[in-house]
Amino acid sequence: MSRIAALYTEERINSDIIHQELAEQKSPSALANGSTRNQSLSEAVEDHLKRYFSAHAGSLPPIGLYDRLLKEVERPMIEICLRATRGNQIKASELLGLNRNTLRKKIRELQIEVVRGLK
């Protein structure tokens, strides 16, 4: 649901959009046999974008695709780095190659909860 909310700018997401998105997802059996595990991040993004554009049946998707896609990738990347560094923002910013203040800004913008000391 969060993916749909991030990708669609409509104020209301109707059941047609949800059914369309669910139909495009890989089946659990495909994931279990490893058919998508060897796919690079670039290939996965390309496949996702092809499905996204084709879902709009010849018309262009809503504006703001670049920012929506970046936020969809940025949030889990920051969360995983923070978990790996046990919430240490200095180490996470180094790991990410970001300035510490930039990381803190992104944490606020993306409303990421920082838990210190746990792994």
Side-chain angles (χ1 to χ4, degrees):
M1 289 306 294
S2 61
R3 183 174 141 307
I4 291 172
L7 291 177
Y8 288 85
T9 59
E10 288 86 348
E11 196 164 310
R12 292 184 185 259
I13 304 296
N14 63 32
S15 62
D16 293 337
I17 292 172
I18 294 170
H19 289 294
Q20 183 176 330
E21 287 292 321
L22 291 175
E24 292 173 1
Q25 297 298 312
K26 301 284 184 195
S27 68
S29 61
L31 292 174
N33 69 23
S35 63
T36 59
R37 288 193 179 159
N38 293 329
Q39 192 175 39
S40 72
L41 178 59
S42 178
E43 291 168 331
V45 170
E46 183 178 352
D47 286 348
H48 175 77
L49 287 171
K50 284 178 183 176
R51 287 192 311 272
Y52 181 66
F53 272 80
S54 69
H56 288 85
S59 64
L60 292 176
I63 61 172
L65 175 64
Y66 183 81
D67 286 334
R68 286 193 309 274
L69 185 62
L70 282 182
K71 285 180 183 174
E72 195 170 329
V73 171
E74 197 171 40
R75 182 182 188 89
M77 180 173 48
I78 291 171
E79 288 175 334
I80 289 170
C81 287
L82 285 167
R83 276 194 298 262
T85 61
R86 297 181 177 179
N88 185 320
Q89 293 179 26
I90 294 172
K91 287 182 181 179
S93 66
E94 290 170 355
L95 181 61
L96 289 162
L98 295 175
N99 178 288
R100 184 182 68 198
N101 291 331
T102 302
L103 176 60
R104 287 183 176 162
K105 179 182 174 195
K106 291 185 177 296
I107 289 169
R108 279 192 309 277
E109 287 174 355
L110 299 169
Q111 299 176 344
I112 295 173
E113 184 180 349
V114 178
V115 179
R116 290 176 175 82
L118 298 177
K119 190 166 186 180

